[in-house]
Amino acid sequence: VAALEQGFAVVKPAISVLTERELLGERAQQSRRRKRVARDPEAVIRDLTELAIGAPIVHVDHGVGRYQGLLKLDVGGADGEFLAIEYAKGDKLYVPVAQLHLVSRYSGTAPELAPLHSLGGEAWDRAKRRAAEKVRDVAAELLAIYAQREARAGTALAIDRLMYEQFAAAFPFEETPDQLQAIEAVISDLARTRPMDRVVCGDVGFGKTEVALRAAFVTAISGKQVGMLAPTTLLAQQHYQNFRDRLADWPIRVEVLSRFKSKKETSEVLAKLAEGQIDIIIGTHKLLQADVKFRDLGLLIVDEEQRFGVRQKEQLKRLRAEVDLLTLTATPIPRTLNMAMAGLRDLSIIATPPAHRLAVKTFIGHWDPALIREAFQRELQRGGQVYFLHNEVETIEKTARELEALVPDARVRIAHGQMPERELEQVMLDFYRQRFNVMVCTTIIESGIDVPSANTIVINRADKFGLAQLHQLRGRVGRSHHRAYAFLIVPDARSITVDAEKRLEALASLEDLGAGFTLATHDLEIRGAGELLGEEQSGQIEEVGFSMYRDMLDRAVRALKSGKVPDFDLTSEHEAEIALHVAALIPDDYLADVNARLTLYKRISSAADEDALRDLQVEMVDRFGLLPDQVKNLFALTELKLLATPLGIRKLELGANGGRVVFNAKPSIDPLTVIRMIQTLPKVYALDGQDKLKIKLQLEGTSERMRVAREIIGALSKRTAT
């Protein structure tokens, strides 16, 4: 008795057995409700959850200062909560929580190197001007690529939904919500005429390959060719096997170009590719060479983009304007992240781990024979295998002998890139088949074959690796339902650089599944945000911080698109300030965690519309219980701000004895409306100079002030009939 997915044919007796799945193209599946990890790319960068006292923070109007915590202050007889920022010379600024949209985390250089500004000084304005000049150039270059992509309309693929559903049904696992979202985004991109440029960011083993497979299937069935670029020969081979297995039932020809093929075999593959006899070709950067000719290339898939050099990326950039491009990465490099944030590349994040997956426990320590022996024995006693990463070929054999002496019952073999191809392939296959249990290797395993039984990795001299690389290496283990362990061996603190120490701390602190994207944002802070289009990875965005730079870039791109000169007046007068002297805050007894309060304040003040505010209220009730009056007031004030800002109101203030409305230089209000209000109720309204409307009313309670504020905004928004 067996659950058969595929049928078979027997010669004697001559009989063919077909399974239900092959006939119907579907299978019964228990759909589980999976908790989706919401990870909005922008939110990760702008999030205030990780703010520690003393961390650098940027205010749009005043520049970079240091965060000093949340304080409660009594202003005009009402309690309010304020974010304290300390600037150069000890000056303090208290930002009301309703204005937290003006504040963002400083990313751009190491926190201790952040340039502090003086309150009221000119240095911040100068820094903004310098950044603005740079942003104009970058925006123009971005738009050149945009225009190129828009002008060279690609081919919209005619997607055969029935065939696609049949292919998708053969996936032996249940898709995670994020994975499904990424797949749908890719397929809808392929159906558009505009060439796709999408980055799919997901941790090792989170299902990026299936996204690539489905994109390749849809493209190949539509009659176009697919190229897949992998950083190493071993990974190209692994992808080749996966693609061959998944596409075995379909009339799609898959081939691989790698150093394991002879010259004659390579020539044959290239000839067939040029004639269009090969539908999907997988290979290393050899695919980018001049002698590789496609008959009709429709889709290029790039796996682990950070492993390719600048020259290859430039070739990809040229292709990007013409063919659909799908990039898969576990930890996007700062420049990719930067481009995704700028809207130049679309981004899908797969942050939900597969069912039963456990996070990898990470330890940082010095070389200790007892610790290493214990790590090896724990893994070997449960029948598992161990990677020992030693990235120096000259001393790798000596290290292997030391490990054999340290753990006598281990069966040790060596693997590195200078071995003959066939020998290396054999070692990898023997390890996969569990013919030995300890592999002493170089970073050749970084994108190597998937070995579910290997669940301990020891990385010697971990301080010499980049953050993305360490995360990738850690992802070699923990690919099954067993708990996996990563040991990062480093010398004493005097021998390692400050950046290396930060990278290791970031890696150890982020053990969560799906942390690859967050790690990339840490990398962004450690290395700098990276030139958007140049060869430099670590860029010059230190002065204004990454969030501010992004805002300026967004404005520049929007302005240039509409044929205007970019306006970089980023002062806060663009947002209305609502001051009703009522208690508007999240009380400690409702939510004690300061960082969680900060994040919610930021999300409330940055809400784009009333629907977003409503969703936030529902979320808070769900997480923390019914909203206290102070929180309801906070939401009401934010809603009033959203209504008042488009009218050009700079400030609306109401207290016990009335108040005033202050307008911007060019409000979007019909002057006749204001005159009509004064004529109708002269005892209530009066003009005070060019830009102020005085209100004379006794307003004791909160509900009274809220009602009157709504009425005033409602009256000012009416257009007088001409």
Side-chain angles (χ1 to χ4, degrees):
V1 177
L4 283 182
E5 284 269 311
Q6 291 177 314
F8 55 89
V10 181
V11 180
K12 275 190 178 177
I15 184 171
S16 292
V17 177
L18 294 175
T19 64
E20 187 179 19
R21 184 182 70 78
E22 287 172 316
L23 286 170
L24 304 176
E26 54 190 43
R27 61 204 159 98
Q29 160 180 309
Q30 180 190 358
S31 181
R32 299 188 301 279
R33 280 185 67 80
R34 299 288 300 283
K35 187 182 168 195
R36 189 171 174 278
V37 182
R39 196 159 285 178
D40 166 25
E42 204 163 317
V44 178
I45 290 285
R46 295 164 168 240
D47 208 351
L48 301 175
T49 46
E50 292 174 12
L51 270 189
I53 301 291
I57 196 166
V58 185
H59 189 287
V60 166
D61 296 344
H62 306 289
V64 183
R66 295 208 179 274
Y67 166 67
Q68 296 297 322
L70 274 179
L71 302 174
K72 279 198 176 64
L73 299 173
D74 184 335
V75 180
D79 280 342
E81 205 159 10
F82 294 78
L83 184 136
I85 307 175
E86 186 175 347
Y87 285 87
K89 303 173 190 164
D91 293 343
K92 291 260 176 62
L93 176 73
Y94 298 100
V95 184
V97 288
Q99 291 178 19
L100 273 200
H101 55 282
L102 303 174
V103 175
S104 55
R105 256 174 67 200
Y106 174 85
S107 314
T109 184
E112 62 276 9
L113 301 177
L116 291 195
H117 294 101
S118 302
L119 273 183
E122 288 181 15
W124 175 237
D125 289 332
R126 282 200 303 273
K128 279 201 288 190
R129 272 198 299 277
R130 279 196 297 273
E133 284 163 20
K134 188 166 192 180
V135 159
R136 276 195 193 94
D137 299 339
V138 172
E141 203 169 339
L142 284 186
L143 282 170
I145 293 180
Y146 265 131
Q148 218 180 340
R149 285 177 66 197
E150 297 290 347
R152 292 186 191 172
T155 314
L157 297 184
I159 294 168
D160 186 326
R161 277 280 165 184
L162 193 66
M163 287 173 93
Y164 169 72
E165 293 299 339
Q166 248 180 305
F167 175 73
F171 185 49
F173 308 102
E174 186 193 344
E175 298 91 343
T176 64
D178 292 351
Q179 196 182 15
L180 269 180
Q181 217 170 17
I183 289 166
E184 280 308 314
V186 167
I187 286 171
S188 60
D189 281 354
L190 290 170
R192 287 200 197 104
T193 51
R194 196 188 80 164
M196 168 172 80
D197 188 0
R198 184 169 288 277
V199 181
V200 175
C201 172
D203 261 6
V204 185
F206 274 37
K208 299 189 296 288
T209 309
E210 182 63 19
V211 180
L213 257 164
R214 297 203 189 174
F217 175 81
V218 164
T219 308
I221 286 292
S222 304
K224 287 198 165 281
Q225 288 173 301
V226 179
M228 183 167 191
L229 209 55
T232 65
T233 307
L234 287 163
L235 191 60
Q237 285 292 128
Q238 188 185 331
H239 281 315
Y240 174 58
Q241 282 308 131
N242 286 343
F243 273 61
R244 281 279 300 269
D245 293 348
R246 279 284 271 123
L247 296 163
D249 295 348
W250 298 89
I252 294 173
R253 178 133 187 223
V254 185
E255 269 300 346
V256 65
L257 264 186
S258 77
R259 59 183 182 158
F260 292 150
K261 279 201 181 310
S262 66
K263 268 193 174 174
K264 187 186 171 195
E265 288 173 322
T266 302
S267 302
E268 282 175 14
V269 168
L270 290 176
K272 285 176 181 169
L273 187 67
E275 289 165 19
Q277 291 179 33
I278 291 171
D279 301 298
I280 299 173
I281 183 87
I282 298 167
T284 56
H285 56 268
K286 278 186 176 184
L287 276 187
L288 294 172
Q289 288 173 1
D291 60 341
V292 178
K293 298 278 190 291
F294 290 88
R295 185 166 174 271
D296 187 7
L297 178 64
L299 170 68
L300 185 66
I301 302 166
V302 183
D303 195 13
E304 295 308 338
E305 181 199 33
Q306 74 272 17
R307 303 286 306 283
F308 292 98
V310 168
R311 221 172 45 250
Q312 285 113 349
K313 292 213 185 87
E314 290 304 313
Q315 284 169 285
L316 289 178
K317 200 193 287 182
R318 280 196 294 277
L319 278 170
R320 192 179 288 157
E322 296 161 34
V323 300
D324 289 319
L325 182 68
L326 177 63
T327 305
L328 313 175
T329 180
T331 47
I333 54 177
R335 184 149 62 112
T336 300
L337 198 58
N338 202 342
M339 289 172 94
M341 298 293 179
L344 178 64
R345 308 182 70 177
D346 299 311
L347 184 67
S348 293
I349 298 176
I350 304 179
T352 317
H356 313 303
R357 179 70 60 88
L358 298 169
V360 179
K361 288 294 287 175
T362 306
F363 303 96
I364 299 172
H366 304 311
W367 178 272
D368 177 2
L371 172 79
I372 288 167
R373 189 188 300 115
E374 187 193 334
F376 274 47
Q377 285 173 339
R378 184 197 289 122
E379 188 58 60
L380 300 181
Q381 278 167 6
R382 63 176 181 178
Q385 292 166 281
V386 180
Y387 289 110
F388 186 92
L389 196 127
H390 179 84
N391 207 28
E392 289 175 9
V393 176
E394 302 80 41
T395 55
I396 198 165
E397 290 189 4
K398 176 174 171 280
T399 305
R401 287 197 297 276
E402 285 174 11
L403 290 173
E404 280 176 328
L406 195 62
V407 190
D409 51 340
R411 300 190 303 284
V412 182
R413 295 272 294 277
I414 292 169
H416 58 78
Q418 292 176 22
M419 291 166 70
E421 285 91 342
R422 301 285 174 200
E423 192 184 327
L424 177 62
E425 189 181 17
Q426 195 54 53
V427 170
M428 290 292 193
L429 284 171
D430 286 350
F431 190 62
Y432 180 71
R433 291 168 182 153
Q434 300 187 7
R435 288 176 181 157
F436 64 99
N437 51 19
V438 174
M439 187 198 282
V440 181
C441 53
T442 59
T443 50
I444 190 128
I445 60 139
E446 185 180 345
S447 305
I449 48 178
D450 189 356
V451 184
S453 53
N455 283 306
T456 293
I457 185 166
V458 181
I459 302 175
N460 197 17
R461 286 308 301 263
D463 56 301
K464 290 188 171 182
F465 298 98
L467 191 55
Q469 203 172 17
L470 282 171
H471 183 59
Q472 194 73 18
L473 289 165
R474 179 171 69 173
R476 288 294 102 213
V477 295
R479 299 180 72 112
S480 64
H481 56 279
H482 296 293
R483 167 69 79 189
Y485 300 92
F487 295 87
L488 311 180
I489 308 297
V490 293
D492 63 57
R494 285 167 302 183
S495 312
I496 63 174
T497 65
V498 176
D499 276 6
E501 206 172 330
K502 277 197 203 127
R503 285 197 296 271
L504 294 167
E505 280 170 15
L507 194 75
S509 68
L510 288 166
E511 290 184 342
D512 300 353
L513 290 162
F517 189 84
T518 316
L519 273 171
T521 64
H522 275 284
D523 206 12
L524 192 74
E525 290 176 17
I526 294 165
R527 291 164 63 184
E531 294 298 334
L532 265 174
L533 298 151
E535 296 187 2
E536 285 295 309
Q537 277 280 44
S538 302
Q540 305 301 311
I541 303 173
E542 287 90 349
E543 286 195 294
V544 295
F546 184 68
S547 293
M548 181 78 161
Y549 182 85
R550 263 213 67 242
D551 283 341
M552 295 172 97
L553 189 60
D554 281 350
R555 282 170 185 243
V557 168
R558 280 202 305 272
L560 288 173
K561 265 186 171 175
S562 57
K564 295 176 189 162
V565 176
D567 164 32
F568 290 112
D569 179 16
L570 290 166
T571 54
S572 52
E573 78 170 26
H574 293 295
E575 294 274 0
E577 184 188 337
I578 309 293
L580 303 190
H581 302 290
V582 297
L585 55 104
I586 302 173
D588 296 356
D589 52 4
Y590 181 68
L591 177 55
D593 187 309
V594 173
N595 282 342
R597 283 212 306 279
L598 254 181
T599 305
L600 281 166
Y601 281 138
K602 173 87 178 187
R603 287 176 67 193
I604 292 166
S605 73
S606 305
D609 51 39
E610 289 177 50
D611 289 342
L613 278 178
R614 206 167 298 114
D615 290 346
L616 262 169
Q617 288 184 62
V618 171
E619 183 188 324
M620 283 182 73
V621 170
D622 184 41
R623 285 172 66 187
F624 312 112
L626 293 173
L627 302 179
D629 288 341
Q630 299 102 308
V631 181
K632 287 178 183 170
N633 291 345
L634 184 64
F635 276 106
L637 291 179
T638 311
E639 198 176 320
L640 288 169
K641 179 191 80 176
L642 289 173
L643 296 170
T645 300
L647 299 176
I649 293 173
R650 192 161 84 224
K651 187 170 185 178
L652 168 56
E653 188 175 7
L654 290 175
N657 302 313
R660 62 192 177 137
V661 179
V662 184
F663 300 103
N664 285 337
K666 293 178 183 173
S668 306
I669 292 168
D670 189 336
L672 290 174
T673 305
V674 181
I675 293 164
R676 188 70 49 85
M677 286 169 73
I678 295 165
Q679 286 174 343
T680 312
L681 295 166
K683 290 185 178 177
V684 176
Y685 300 113
L687 269 178
D688 181 8
Q690 291 273 314
D691 61 348
K692 293 184 193 73
L693 179 69
K694 282 189 104 174
I695 298 128
K696 293 168 278 184
L697 274 175
Q698 294 298 308
L699 301 168
E700 288 303 325
T702 300
S703 56
E704 273 291 286
R705 291 177 204 173
M706 293 284 184
R707 181 183 61 76
V708 170
R710 277 181 194 286
E711 284 173 5
I712 292 168
I713 291 170
L716 289 170
S717 61
K718 285 176 186 162
R719 313 299 290 177
T720 307
T722 53

